[in-house]
Amino acid sequence: MTVNSALAAKEALLKIILPVLGAALQFPDPRNSAADGLVAIGGDLSVDRLLLAYRRGIFPWTVSPLTWWSPDPRGIFELGAFHLSRSLAKILRKAPFKITRDRAFRQVIEGCAEPRASRRTTWISPQFIEAYTTLHHQGYAHSIECWQDARLAGGIYGVAIGGLFCGESMFHRANNASKVALFHLVEHLNQRGFLLFDIQMVTPITAQLGATTISRREYLERLGVAVQANRSF
């Protein structure tokens, strides 16, 4: 079996097991998703579908096929519980970066898509870059940038709806730039009165900074309140 035929067989199997999205803007209840959090396949990355997905606690992850997820448990930062380590506090005091917001969104998402030593591929495909850049132009996707001598040293981007911020990805080209960007994002969200900072899944880096997990049930309950809040990024 060739690689292409194996992928086709996998996609056919997914269609048998999972709901397949068509043109209608709707999603299955994420509480009924597969054990791994996979909710559905298909659909598109239009602005309306993406916004509906985030409001329902669902996000896209791959494009071939297009898959939609709602993991259980869910990774979040409790906005009042960010862990500022001594080392990061020392770096912040030195202020090695100039921090901006929404100044270079596309550069940030393209930076997040760059190959790294730990990986050769990325889920941030050209389709994702175009879709989230469109979200940015319409006021829903945002970025924090770290600059060093007029060079983009790192950053983070995500989606804001009401009092919800969904962190999508971050990157660094200079040591600690992504951590500094994350710190400034949390500070900004606190200042703006955001209620929920979703990071989908906890990584070793975010765990060091205080990220935690909650059940999907709790996440969806808190999500319902957050997206109704009147907040601006």
Side-chain angles (χ1 to χ4, degrees), residues 29-32 53-58 70-71 74 196 214-227:
D29 188 332
R31 292 171 295 184
N32 300 326
Y54 283 105
R55 290 187 177 106
R56 295 289 305 277
I58 300 167
S70 182
R74 187 78 165 229
L196 183 59
I214 58 177
S215 70
R216 180 166 55 208
R217 180 177 179 178
E218 180 181 350
Y219 175 80
L220 294 175
E221 290 174 352
R222 293 174 62 175
L223 172 71
V225 175
V227 296

mmCIF file of all heavy atoms in Angstrom, residues 29-32 53-58 70-71 74 196 214-227:
data_model
loop_
_atom_site.group_PDB
_atom_site.id
_atom_site.type_symbol
_atom_site.label_atom_id
_atom_site.label_comp_id
_atom_site.label_asym_id
_atom_site.label_seq_id
_atom_site.Cartn_x
_atom_site.Cartn_y
_atom_site.Cartn_z
ATOM 1 N N ASP A 29 -22.221 18.148 19.317
ATOM 2 C CA ASP A 29 -21.942 18.479 20.706
ATOM 3 C C ASP A 29 -20.576 17.897 21.082
ATOM 4 O O ASP A 29 -20.365 16.679 20.998
ATOM 5 C CB ASP A 29 -23.026 17.874 21.606
ATOM 6 C CG ASP A 29 -22.914 18.340 23.046
ATOM 7 O OD1 ASP A 29 -21.803 18.673 23.490
ATOM 8 O OD2 ASP A 29 -23.946 18.340 23.743
ATOM 9 N N PRO A 30 -19.608 18.732 21.488
ATOM 10 C CA PRO A 30 -18.274 18.215 21.802
ATOM 11 C C PRO A 30 -18.259 17.243 22.972
ATOM 12 O O PRO A 30 -17.325 16.446 23.108
ATOM 13 C CB PRO A 30 -17.466 19.484 22.113
ATOM 14 C CG PRO A 30 -18.482 20.502 22.489
ATOM 15 C CD PRO A 30 -19.691 20.182 21.651
ATOM 16 N N ARG A 31 -19.305 17.273 23.796
ATOM 17 C CA ARG A 31 -19.362 16.336 24.924
ATOM 18 C C ARG A 31 -19.542 14.895 24.455
ATOM 19 O O ARG A 31 -19.319 13.951 25.215
ATOM 20 C CB ARG A 31 -20.489 16.729 25.863
ATOM 21 C CG ARG A 31 -20.247 18.040 26.611
ATOM 22 C CD ARG A 31 -21.466 18.493 27.367
ATOM 23 N NE ARG A 31 -22.569 18.827 26.456
ATOM 24 C CZ ARG A 31 -23.736 19.319 26.862
ATOM 25 N NH1 ARG A 31 -23.946 19.531 28.155
ATOM 26 N NH2 ARG A 31 -24.678 19.594 25.983
ATOM 27 N N ASN A 32 -19.941 14.723 23.196
ATOM 28 C CA ASN A 32 -20.128 13.385 22.638
ATOM 29 C C ASN A 32 -18.984 12.978 21.717
ATOM 30 O O ASN A 32 -19.119 12.045 20.929
ATOM 31 C CB ASN A 32 -21.445 13.340 21.851
ATOM 32 C CG ASN A 32 -22.647 13.650 22.719
ATOM 33 O OD1 ASN A 32 -22.674 13.303 23.897
ATOM 34 N ND2 ASN A 32 -23.647 14.309 22.152
ATOM 35 N N ALA A 53 -16.878 27.466 15.942
ATOM 36 C CA ALA A 53 -16.118 26.400 16.591
ATOM 37 C C ALA A 53 -15.584 26.860 17.948
ATOM 38 O O ALA A 53 -15.757 26.172 18.962
ATOM 39 C CB ALA A 53 -14.971 25.949 15.688
ATOM 40 N N TYR A 54 -14.937 28.010 17.984
ATOM 41 C CA TYR A 54 -14.370 28.484 19.246
ATOM 42 C C TYR A 54 -15.458 28.745 20.283
ATOM 43 O O TYR A 54 -15.254 28.489 21.470
ATOM 44 C CB TYR A 54 -13.517 29.727 19.009
ATOM 45 C CG TYR A 54 -12.162 29.401 18.421
ATOM 46 C CD1 TYR A 54 -11.884 29.640 17.083
ATOM 47 C CD2 TYR A 54 -11.164 28.832 19.202
ATOM 48 C CE1 TYR A 54 -10.659 29.322 16.538
ATOM 49 C CE2 TYR A 54 -9.922 28.507 18.668
ATOM 50 C CZ TYR A 54 -9.679 28.756 17.336
ATOM 51 O OH TYR A 54 -8.448 28.431 16.794
ATOM 52 N N ARG A 55 -16.585 29.245 19.848
ATOM 53 C CA ARG A 55 -17.688 29.468 20.782
ATOM 54 C C ARG A 55 -18.241 28.160 21.334
ATOM 55 O O ARG A 55 -18.836 28.135 22.409
ATOM 56 C CB ARG A 55 -18.801 30.269 20.103
ATOM 57 C CG ARG A 55 -18.440 31.719 19.817
ATOM 58 C CD ARG A 55 -19.638 32.502 19.310
ATOM 59 N NE ARG A 55 -19.310 33.904 19.114
ATOM 60 C CZ ARG A 55 -19.132 34.475 17.922
ATOM 61 N NH1 ARG A 55 -19.273 33.734 16.816
ATOM 62 N NH2 ARG A 55 -18.843 35.747 17.820
ATOM 63 N N ARG A 56 -18.045 27.069 20.598
ATOM 64 C CA ARG A 56 -18.517 25.761 21.043
ATOM 65 C C ARG A 56 -17.429 24.963 21.764
ATOM 66 O O ARG A 56 -17.658 23.830 22.179
ATOM 67 C CB ARG A 56 -19.005 24.944 19.834
ATOM 68 C CG ARG A 56 -20.220 25.501 19.118
ATOM 69 C CD ARG A 56 -21.485 25.361 19.955
ATOM 70 N NE ARG A 56 -21.743 23.996 20.369
ATOM 71 C CZ ARG A 56 -22.340 23.081 19.612
ATOM 72 N NH1 ARG A 56 -22.763 23.397 18.385
ATOM 73 N NH2 ARG A 56 -22.545 21.858 20.065
ATOM 74 N N GLY A 57 -16.242 25.535 21.909
ATOM 75 C CA GLY A 57 -15.157 24.829 22.580
ATOM 76 C C GLY A 57 -14.408 23.876 21.681
ATOM 77 O O GLY A 57 -13.802 22.905 22.148
ATOM 78 N N ILE A 58 -14.404 24.160 20.382
ATOM 79 C CA ILE A 58 -13.813 23.286 19.365
ATOM 80 C C ILE A 58 -12.776 24.077 18.575
ATOM 81 O O ILE A 58 -12.944 25.277 18.353
ATOM 82 C CB ILE A 58 -14.917 22.759 18.420
ATOM 83 C CG1 ILE A 58 -15.958 21.958 19.209
ATOM 84 C CG2 ILE A 58 -14.340 21.919 17.284
ATOM 85 C CD1 ILE A 58 -17.237 21.678 18.425
ATOM 86 N N SER A 70 -11.930 18.827 20.609
ATOM 87 C CA SER A 70 -12.300 19.388 21.912
ATOM 88 C C SER A 70 -11.775 18.420 22.978
ATOM 89 O O SER A 70 -12.510 17.540 23.452
ATOM 90 C CB SER A 70 -13.816 19.558 22.028
ATOM 91 O OG SER A 70 -14.162 20.152 23.271
ATOM 92 N N PRO A 71 -10.510 18.559 23.354
ATOM 93 C CA PRO A 71 -9.887 17.562 24.238
ATOM 94 C C PRO A 71 -10.429 17.595 25.656
ATOM 95 O O PRO A 71 -10.963 18.596 26.124
ATOM 96 C CB PRO A 71 -8.400 17.963 24.215
ATOM 97 C CG PRO A 71 -8.412 19.407 23.850
ATOM 98 C CD PRO A 71 -9.577 19.610 22.945
ATOM 99 N N ARG A 74 -8.778 19.838 29.360
ATOM 100 C CA ARG A 74 -8.431 21.006 28.545
ATOM 101 C C ARG A 74 -7.366 21.820 29.247
ATOM 102 O O ARG A 74 -7.446 22.074 30.444
ATOM 103 C CB ARG A 74 -9.683 21.864 28.336
ATOM 104 C CG ARG A 74 -9.519 23.024 27.367
ATOM 105 C CD ARG A 74 -9.568 22.523 25.936
ATOM 106 N NE ARG A 74 -9.766 23.603 24.996
ATOM 107 C CZ ARG A 74 -10.684 23.590 24.032
ATOM 108 N NH1 ARG A 74 -11.502 22.565 23.902
ATOM 109 N NH2 ARG A 74 -10.784 24.590 23.186
ATOM 110 N N LEU A 196 -11.172 33.785 30.568
ATOM 111 C CA LEU A 196 -10.708 32.424 30.290
ATOM 112 C C LEU A 196 -9.594 32.465 29.255
ATOM 113 O O LEU A 196 -9.763 33.037 28.173
ATOM 114 C CB LEU A 196 -11.872 31.578 29.764
ATOM 115 C CG LEU A 196 -11.609 30.100 29.487
ATOM 116 C CD1 LEU A 196 -11.125 29.363 30.748
ATOM 117 C CD2 LEU A 196 -12.881 29.419 28.946
ATOM 118 N N ILE A 214 -8.347 21.402 33.193
ATOM 119 C CA ILE A 214 -9.668 21.245 33.788
ATOM 120 C C ILE A 214 -10.448 20.283 32.902
ATOM 121 O O ILE A 214 -10.079 20.043 31.743
ATOM 122 C CB ILE A 214 -10.416 22.592 33.918
ATOM 123 C CG1 ILE A 214 -10.572 23.266 32.555
ATOM 124 C CG2 ILE A 214 -9.707 23.490 34.915
ATOM 125 C CD1 ILE A 214 -11.373 24.558 32.606
ATOM 126 N N SER A 215 -11.516 19.738 33.413
ATOM 127 C CA SER A 215 -12.317 18.814 32.621
ATOM 128 C C SER A 215 -13.002 19.563 31.478
ATOM 129 O O SER A 215 -13.209 20.781 31.549
ATOM 130 C CB SER A 215 -13.380 18.146 33.496
ATOM 131 O OG SER A 215 -14.369 19.087 33.883
ATOM 132 N N ARG A 216 -13.324 18.820 30.435
ATOM 133 C CA ARG A 216 -14.042 19.444 29.318
ATOM 134 C C ARG A 216 -15.376 20.014 29.798
ATOM 135 O O ARG A 216 -15.785 21.099 29.357
ATOM 136 C CB ARG A 216 -14.268 18.435 28.197
ATOM 137 C CG ARG A 216 -15.022 19.032 26.994
ATOM 138 C CD ARG A 216 -14.929 18.120 25.781
ATOM 139 N NE ARG A 216 -15.392 16.792 26.088
ATOM 140 C CZ ARG A 216 -14.951 15.688 25.459
ATOM 141 N NH1 ARG A 216 -14.038 15.788 24.508
ATOM 142 N NH2 ARG A 216 -15.436 14.507 25.777
ATOM 143 N N ARG A 217 -16.032 19.319 30.700
ATOM 144 C CA ARG A 217 -17.312 19.808 31.212
ATOM 145 C C ARG A 217 -17.155 21.169 31.872
ATOM 146 O O ARG A 217 -17.938 22.100 31.607
ATOM 147 C CB ARG A 217 -17.895 18.806 32.197
ATOM 148 C CG ARG A 217 -19.240 19.231 32.788
ATOM 149 C CD ARG A 217 -19.801 18.154 33.702
ATOM 150 N NE ARG A 217 -21.081 18.562 34.280
ATOM 151 C CZ ARG A 217 -21.807 17.800 35.073
ATOM 152 N NH1 ARG A 217 -21.377 16.581 35.378
ATOM 153 N NH2 ARG A 217 -22.939 18.249 35.560
ATOM 154 N N GLU A 218 -16.148 21.301 32.737
ATOM 155 C CA GLU A 218 -15.921 22.590 33.390
ATOM 156 C C GLU A 218 -15.521 23.649 32.368
ATOM 157 O O GLU A 218 -15.967 24.800 32.441
ATOM 158 C CB GLU A 218 -14.842 22.475 34.466
ATOM 159 C CG GLU A 218 -14.567 23.798 35.168
ATOM 160 C CD GLU A 218 -13.487 23.721 36.222
ATOM 161 O OE1 GLU A 218 -13.059 22.593 36.567
ATOM 162 O OE2 GLU A 218 -13.051 24.789 36.698
ATOM 163 N N TYR A 219 -14.689 23.251 31.427
ATOM 164 C CA TYR A 219 -14.259 24.205 30.401
ATOM 165 C C TYR A 219 -15.459 24.756 29.638
ATOM 166 O O TYR A 219 -15.576 25.969 29.435
ATOM 167 C CB TYR A 219 -13.279 23.543 29.428
ATOM 168 C CG TYR A 219 -12.915 24.458 28.279
ATOM 169 C CD1 TYR A 219 -11.959 25.454 28.435
ATOM 170 C CD2 TYR A 219 -13.567 24.357 27.052
ATOM 171 C CE1 TYR A 219 -11.640 26.316 27.395
ATOM 172 C CE2 TYR A 219 -13.257 25.213 26.009
ATOM 173 C CZ TYR A 219 -12.298 26.190 26.188
ATOM 174 O OH TYR A 219 -11.999 27.058 25.160
ATOM 175 N N LEU A 220 -16.355 23.880 29.209
ATOM 176 C CA LEU A 220 -17.513 24.325 28.434
ATOM 177 C C LEU A 220 -18.427 25.220 29.255
ATOM 178 O O LEU A 220 -19.021 26.173 28.733
ATOM 179 C CB LEU A 220 -18.279 23.116 27.897
ATOM 180 C CG LEU A 220 -17.525 22.270 26.857
ATOM 181 C CD1 LEU A 220 -18.338 21.035 26.491
ATOM 182 C CD2 LEU A 220 -17.189 23.076 25.617
ATOM 183 N N GLU A 221 -18.549 24.947 30.539
ATOM 184 C CA GLU A 221 -19.359 25.797 31.407
ATOM 185 C C GLU A 221 -18.741 27.190 31.512
ATOM 186 O O GLU A 221 -19.442 28.211 31.404
ATOM 187 C CB GLU A 221 -19.492 25.167 32.796
ATOM 188 C CG GLU A 221 -20.359 23.913 32.827
ATOM 189 C CD GLU A 221 -20.350 23.231 34.179
ATOM 190 O OE1 GLU A 221 -19.549 23.644 35.056
ATOM 191 O OE2 GLU A 221 -21.129 22.278 34.369
ATOM 192 N N ARG A 222 -17.438 27.251 31.729
ATOM 193 C CA ARG A 222 -16.756 28.542 31.842
ATOM 194 C C ARG A 222 -16.710 29.263 30.498
ATOM 195 O O ARG A 222 -16.786 30.496 30.440
ATOM 196 C CB ARG A 222 -15.356 28.337 32.407
ATOM 197 C CG ARG A 222 -15.368 27.846 33.843
ATOM 198 C CD ARG A 222 -13.990 27.488 34.370
ATOM 199 N NE ARG A 222 -13.096 28.636 34.394
ATOM 200 C CZ ARG A 222 -11.871 28.597 34.904
ATOM 201 N NH1 ARG A 222 -11.414 27.464 35.451
ATOM 202 N NH2 ARG A 222 -11.101 29.667 34.892
ATOM 203 N N LEU A 223 -16.611 28.499 29.440
ATOM 204 C CA LEU A 223 -16.610 29.067 28.094
ATOM 205 C C LEU A 223 -17.911 29.814 27.824
ATOM 206 O O LEU A 223 -17.907 30.925 27.264
ATOM 207 C CB LEU A 223 -16.425 27.951 27.071
ATOM 208 C CG LEU A 223 -16.581 28.320 25.596
ATOM 209 C CD1 LEU A 223 -15.405 29.173 25.139
ATOM 210 C CD2 LEU A 223 -16.691 27.062 24.736
ATOM 211 N N GLY A 224 -19.037 29.210 28.209
ATOM 212 C CA GLY A 224 -20.329 29.824 27.968
ATOM 213 C C GLY A 224 -20.450 31.199 28.600
ATOM 214 O O GLY A 224 -21.080 32.101 28.035
ATOM 215 N N VAL A 225 -19.842 31.363 29.767
ATOM 216 C CA VAL A 225 -19.853 32.669 30.441
ATOM 217 C C VAL A 225 -18.878 33.620 29.754
ATOM 218 O O VAL A 225 -19.193 34.797 29.513
ATOM 219 C CB VAL A 225 -19.485 32.511 31.932
ATOM 220 C CG1 VAL A 225 -19.377 33.873 32.606
ATOM 221 C CG2 VAL A 225 -20.520 31.633 32.638
ATOM 222 N N ALA A 226 -17.694 33.118 29.422
ATOM 223 C CA ALA A 226 -16.627 33.980 28.886
ATOM 224 C C ALA A 226 -17.011 34.616 27.553
ATOM 225 O O ALA A 226 -16.789 35.808 27.331
ATOM 226 C CB ALA A 226 -15.336 33.185 28.741
ATOM 227 N N VAL A 227 -17.588 33.826 26.642
ATOM 228 C CA VAL A 227 -17.864 34.365 25.313
ATOM 229 C C VAL A 227 -18.989 35.398 25.327
ATOM 230 O O VAL A 227 -19.139 36.168 24.373
ATOM 231 C CB VAL A 227 -18.192 33.237 24.306
ATOM 232 C CG1 VAL A 227 -17.000 32.323 24.115
ATOM 233 C CG2 VAL A 227 -19.427 32.452 24.729
#
